[in-house]
Amino acid sequence: MTYEIGKLSHETLLGPIAAAEDALARLDEKVARSEVGPGFAERADFFDSVSCMWVAGELVHLEDLVLHDAQMDIRAPSHELVIAHRIVRARRRVSRNDPGWAVARSGIMALAGVAEEPSGEAEPVDRRGEGVELELVVDEALSPELAEIDEVLTRTKWLVDGNGSVEQRKRGTEVSVGELLIRDPDWDEGERIAEWLELAKKVDRLPATLAAAVLWDAWEHLEPLQRQHWLGQVLVSDFLRSRGKVRSHLLAYSVGLREIPRERRRARDPTTRLVGYLEAMSATASAGMKDIDRLTLAKRQLERRAVGKRSTSSLPIAIDLLLSRPIVSAPMIANAARISPRGALNLVKELGVREITGRGRYRAWGVL
């Protein structure tokens, strides 16, 4: 399977490109200068993960994801929830590394959890030092026997591990359903990833937003990873970071994709799809700007509640946690502030934060 960019309508793309470039630049500058920038970046990991699952047709509750990340689940985690948490951890790992780390073969393989094959060339062994003379004597005495053993092992290797090298290359093409293992022998992940990376080099001359839209369209078409298709949104966000378009944080691209109707995201015309992907970037930036303003206002209101408190008060810790998580529970506050759950409830009452679950048990609060 190959991907061709084809002939694009530049007149149609010019407006969305300019809008996306301007919106992302404004968002990046605002996050970099905002006092709630770090908290916004942490919250974006959760929002992007939930939106990514929504775009893929799966529903994951934000509350369950936050509690699962804090290892405070109130119910057994579902398969979809585990995948959503993998997205959160992948975004955090990409954020910790240099821009562009993920948009490389080693980065993709590391995020996908697939071990790369060794080059096959043995490194030279330095035999200088003590025991060299003894090793030479042993090698000369046993070399015929060792050669015969190596020959037997080579001939019978297929009895032990079968076609091991092929299985290693196609590890990502396996789908496990209970104890049933299904493989697609025609799904060559290495070849598809190589083609996608080659395209990433070709689009380097394009504007950053258009290049990112083309890469996402190619990822949707090629589907390099059979079981980790969600990784594409993370790679596109890291690509924008490597191009210097969004340096302050990792863009929550799926939040904008969620706003684009499926008919436009799956249109036959490539220009229509690219326009939709560009508008998704603008929508992400718009949502991010509103979230920054909302968090800034919430921070000022919450800090007023802490005025005049003693220096050892746990209110600042609770405020920081509220600004860095979409929702928080009493055990989460108690764990962060190292206080009792009853004390955490007192902090919540003192801060006057809105309860968002409507439940009598397993309640949670947040700044939404």
Side-chain angles (χ1 to χ4, degrees):
M1 181 179 292
T2 59
Y3 175 82
E4 296 292 340
I5 299 178
K7 187 176 181 180
L8 303 176
S9 176
H10 299 286
E11 296 180 358
T12 306
L13 290 171
L14 186 59
I17 290 174
E21 293 273 342
D22 181 67
L24 292 183
R26 290 176 181 272
L27 174 65
D28 185 46
E29 186 67 18
K30 191 162 188 174
V31 174
R33 294 178 177 271
S34 175
E35 56 185 346
V36 296
F40 168 80
E42 292 187 51
R43 289 164 58 94
D45 294 337
F46 296 97
F47 288 123
D48 185 73
S49 176
V50 171
S51 299
C52 181
M53 297 299 293
W54 189 93
V55 172
E58 301 289 350
L59 179 61
V60 175
H61 291 284
L62 183 64
E63 174 190 353
D64 293 338
L65 179 59
V66 176
L67 294 177
H68 182 71
D69 179 67
Q71 299 181 357
M72 297 180 180
D73 303 85
I74 60 177
R75 62 180 66 90
S78 62
H79 177 65
E80 293 77 13
L81 180 59
V82 173
I83 296 177
H85 191 237
R86 286 195 63 188
I87 299 175
V88 173
R89 291 188 287 114
R91 285 179 56 87
R92 290 172 177 170
R93 186 174 183 181
V94 171
S95 300
R96 290 194 300 266
N97 284 277
D98 296 332
W101 170 79
V103 193
R105 185 178 183 85
S106 58
I108 295 175
M109 292 300 185
L111 292 172
V114 179
E116 293 192 80
E117 294 183 25
S119 59
E121 296 181 0
E123 297 183 359
V125 179
D126 188 2
R127 294 186 175 274
R128 293 175 296 178
E130 299 180 358
V132 174
E133 295 181 0
L134 180 59
E135 291 179 4
L136 291 176
V137 172
V138 173
D139 288 345
E140 291 177 359
L142 299 178
S143 57
E145 290 77 8
L146 292 175
E148 293 180 4
I149 294 175
D150 290 339
E151 185 179 355
V152 172
L153 291 176
T154 302
R155 289 200 308 264
T156 60
K157 188 176 186 298
W158 66 275
L159 292 173
V160 180
D161 56 0
N163 199 359
S165 60
V166 175
E167 294 298 326
Q168 178 68 20
R169 285 196 302 270
K170 297 184 178 180
R171 177 188 171 204
T173 67
E174 300 173 353
V175 179
S176 179
V177 183
E179 296 182 356
L180 178 64
L181 198 61
I182 305 173
R183 301 185 182 92
D184 185 354
D186 298 327
W187 202 286
D188 192 342
E189 290 189 349
E191 181 180 350
R192 298 187 185 210
I193 291 175
E195 182 176 350
W196 189 83
L197 292 175
E198 186 64 26
L199 179 64
K201 297 178 182 178
K202 293 180 181 179
V203 300
D204 194 53
R205 56 185 176 83
L206 299 176
T209 52
L210 179 59
V214 171
L215 287 178
W216 171 241
D217 189 47
W219 186 272
E220 285 274 79
H221 181 76
L222 294 173
E223 296 186 80
L225 298 176
Q226 192 173 9
R227 290 187 294 172
Q228 292 97 357
H229 187 68
W230 51 262
L231 190 57
Q233 287 99 322
V234 181
L235 298 180
V236 169
S237 300
D238 189 50
F239 176 80
L240 288 170
R241 196 166 64 120
S242 67
R243 291 287 298 269
K245 184 53 60 179
V246 184
R247 288 185 174 272
S248 58
H249 67 290
L250 196 63
L251 185 70
Y253 186 44
S254 297
V255 174
L257 284 175
R258 186 173 180 173
E259 301 299 323
I260 307 301
R262 184 182 184 278
E263 292 74 16
R264 297 185 59 193
R265 290 188 278 111
R266 298 290 185 178
R268 292 181 177 272
D269 181 27
T271 302
T272 303
R273 296 197 304 268
L274 292 179
V275 170
Y277 298 150
L278 291 169
E279 291 179 357
M281 297 179 195
S282 300
T284 301
S286 177
M289 298 277 281
K290 294 178 182 178
D291 200 20
I292 284 286
D293 293 337
R294 184 165 52 251
L295 288 177
T296 302
L297 179 61
K299 179 179 174 63
R300 293 172 182 173
Q301 292 177 342
L302 293 174
E303 286 179 343
R304 289 174 187 167
R305 307 266 183 164
V307 174
K309 302 297 179 180
R310 64 183 186 275
S311 59
T312 57
S313 174
S314 299
L315 282 178
I317 300 176
I319 292 173
D320 291 340
L321 186 63
L322 281 165
L323 295 176
S324 63
R325 295 293 185 275
I327 63 171
V328 297
S329 63
M332 289 175 62
I333 298 176
N335 187 42
R338 296 183 179 180
I339 57 178
S340 66
R342 181 69 258 179
L345 291 174
N346 292 336
L347 290 180
V348 170
K349 183 177 180 180
E350 192 169 355
L351 290 173
V353 186
R354 183 168 60 95
E355 205 279 329
I356 59 178
T357 64
R359 295 195 298 254
R361 299 179 61 192
Y362 304 111
R363 293 179 295 169
W365 298 263
V367 181
L368 293 177

